[in-house]
Amino acid sequence: MPLSIHSLGKEPQASQLPHLSKCLLLLVERILNHLCIIKEHTLLRLITEGFPACWDPQVSIKDLHFDGVPVRIYLPRKPSASKQRGVVFIHGGCGIFGSIRTYERVCRYIARKSDSVVVSVGYRLAPEHKYPTQTLECLTATEHFLKTAETYGVDPARVIVCGDSVGGTFTTSVCQELGQRIDIPKIRAQVLIYPFLQALNFNLPSHQKNAAVAFLTRERTVHFILKYLDKDCSLKEPILAGSHVPENINLKYRKWINPDLIPDVFKMGYKPPLPALFSPQTHKEVPELFEPWVSPLLAEDAVICGLPDTCIVTCEHDVLRDDGLLYKKRLEDNNTRVTWHHVEKGFHCSLGFFGYGIFSFPSSSTIMNHVVDFIKGY
């Protein structure tokens, strides 16, 4: 696995241990998977499960099911004089790992600091549960909560959906789908933390700049997408080159996915790649990459116009940085209110270290504080 210390030098020495440890574990995972000792996603789930959190006297926790979807609800113990806001949290993990437990500390913190009822969605994971199971279960849980919010002391007009990485993808899809509905309360706002939003172009400036940064390299991004969709990983190289996209689709979506739309400050050293030779066979193998549930940036303007207020968090050391920047522009072009935070010392997966004391990163707390401050505004 390509490994870069590019982001390590940006954080205190005490915080480098978990970073290096996780990179070592990911390397071991690839070796064991190659030797057929353990499946890749199985070990990743063990690595990311984390340690159980201690009891929190300020938060009451309940495990429930919303129309068959496992959820964990975090309710502030402090009595509220009025109905509270609600937060639906959708975890990251490429759709193949991560869990409610992985984000226990994150959800407790949001509930405690923003005085919100938080619902963490435990959607079933790929590859055992095929795409689009994950999106459908996030939709089901969110819709159920919107309909029953008052049962939990929540004002249904103050529900926010939040997610990181692919959780940001699912959050975007949930808001795009439910934004068209008139039979349920409207989602008040969405929070997208370094989201994955498009699978057409893997040669944007952030892909080049952070191609070998630890945790999520450019190569691993496409690898995980193929794993999530249960596709042959031999398709990785032509997809990285852009050979899966025919010219007519490139032309159609150039207005939304284009390095020219990225601010110049983020394009230092960028070199436009040579045009890729289109591969009809590759295109035929991955039609899902062109669906809005995988690439929400491809949703039509009629859908984008119906989206709620949005907070987008991008990180300097993240291959997906430009996905967030492009979506920010699309939303603003369609008159959606956007709050944007760029974490200069942040990297993909920062949030996964939140709440682990000296083993956390400063960027982890920075992201969480931006998120909580935004939520408190509603």
Side-chain angles (χ1 to χ4, degrees):
M1 177 179 69
L3 180 63
S4 168
I5 61 171
H6 183 49
S7 62
L8 293 181
K10 300 290 186 177
E11 303 277 8
Q13 294 294 322
S15 297
Q16 294 181 16
L17 177 61
H19 195 143
L20 291 171
S21 298
K22 192 166 183 177
C23 291
L24 178 60
L25 285 169
L26 288 172
L27 180 60
V28 171
E29 161 256 309
R30 296 192 72 180
I31 294 172
L32 293 176
N33 183 65
H34 181 71
L35 296 174
C36 300
I37 296 173
I38 187 172
K39 289 185 177 180
E40 176 183 38
H41 60 269
T42 301
L43 186 55
L44 282 170
R45 290 171 190 174
L46 292 173
I47 293 170
T48 58
E49 193 65 5
F51 298 102
C54 298
W55 181 72
D56 191 333
Q58 299 181 56
V59 180
S60 173
I61 301 173
K62 297 180 180 179
D63 287 324
L64 300 173
H65 285 79
F66 282 178
D67 291 336
V69 180
V71 299
R72 181 168 292 174
I73 302 183
Y74 303 82
L75 302 104
R77 293 181 184 273
K78 182 180 177 181
S80 178
S82 59
K83 291 180 182 178
Q84 295 174 292
R85 74 176 63 81
V87 177
V88 177
F89 186 86
I90 303 175
H91 70 77
C94 306
I96 60 177
F97 55 91
S99 66
I100 286 174
R101 173 172 152 174
T102 304
Y103 287 79
E104 178 85 9
R105 290 164 177 80
V106 169
C107 291
R108 288 189 188 192
Y109 187 84
I110 293 173
R112 188 170 63 247
K113 292 296 184 180
S114 70
D115 192 29
S116 303
V117 174
V118 177
V119 175
S120 182
V121 182
Y123 59 86
R124 291 176 294 172
L125 301 173
E128 297 91 338
H129 303 281
K130 307 300 183 185
Y131 164 87
T133 297
Q134 298 69 36
T135 303
L136 290 172
E137 293 196 342
C138 292
L139 278 165
T140 296
T142 305
E143 181 178 349
H144 180 98
F145 186 54
L146 287 167
K147 291 178 177 178
T148 62
E150 295 187 66
T151 305
Y152 307 98
V154 170
D155 181 351
R158 299 175 67 203
V159 173
I160 298 163
V161 187
C162 173
D164 72 309
S165 192
V166 80
T169 315
F170 299 149
T171 294
T172 307
S173 296
V174 165
C175 290
Q176 288 184 357
E177 289 288 330
L178 299 185
Q180 309 300 305
R181 298 273 295 274
I182 60 173
D183 59 323
I184 57 175
K186 293 290 186 183
I187 293 169
R188 185 66 185 86
Q190 62 176 337
V191 181
L192 313 177
I193 305 166
Y194 42 71
F196 172 85
L197 298 173
Q198 61 86 28
L200 268 68
N201 189 336
F202 293 99
N203 289 285
L204 294 169
S206 64
H207 294 121
Q208 287 191 8
K209 178 178 182 292
N210 298 302
V213 170
F215 293 116
L216 189 67
T217 65
R218 176 174 171 268
E219 177 265 339
R220 292 289 274 177
T221 300
V222 176
H223 175 82
F224 284 136
I225 293 168
L226 293 171
K227 286 284 188 179
Y228 168 58
L229 297 175
D230 200 22
K231 302 292 184 178
D232 189 337
C233 286
S234 66
L235 297 167
K236 179 171 54 183
E237 291 305 323
I239 290 173
L240 283 168
S243 298
H244 62 303
V245 188
E247 183 60 22
N248 65 313
I249 290 182
N250 266 324
L251 290 172
K252 178 179 178 179
Y253 293 115
R254 189 170 294 170
K255 58 185 176 181
W256 298 333
I257 302 174
N258 189 329
D260 292 342
L261 302 176
I262 304 297
D264 289 341
V265 68
F266 295 113
K267 293 195 292 187
M268 293 180 61
Y270 172 68
K271 296 180 180 179
L274 295 174
L277 182 64
F278 173 59
S279 167
Q281 182 59 36
T282 302
H283 176 73
K284 183 180 177 181
E285 291 290 333
V286 288
E288 298 89 345
L289 298 185
F290 303 92
E291 297 173 359
W293 280 2
V294 173
S295 297
L297 252 169
L298 304 188
E300 296 298 329
D301 283 338
V303 173
I304 301 296
C305 287
L307 292 176
D309 293 354
T310 302
C311 175
I312 297 176
V313 179
T314 57
C315 290
E316 179 181 3
H317 307 296
D318 181 15
V319 291
L320 302 185
R321 180 201 67 196
D322 291 350
D323 283 25
L325 295 177
L326 292 173
Y327 203 55
K328 170 181 177 289
K329 186 178 189 310
R330 277 217 67 195
L331 292 171
E332 290 173 340
D333 287 348
N334 284 275
N335 300 313
T336 296
R337 180 183 174 191
V338 179
T339 300
W340 171 54
H341 297 288
H342 183 65
V343 183
E344 291 188 355
K345 296 181 181 180
F347 56 93
H348 204 85
C349 298
S350 291
L351 201 62
F353 291 97
F354 179 78
Y356 282 93
I358 62 171
F359 299 111
S360 186
F361 286 84
S363 58
S364 307
S365 296
T366 299
I367 292 171
M368 279 305 307
N369 289 332
H370 285 320
V371 170
V372 167
D373 287 345
F374 178 81
I375 291 171
K376 287 168 68 176
Y378 294 86

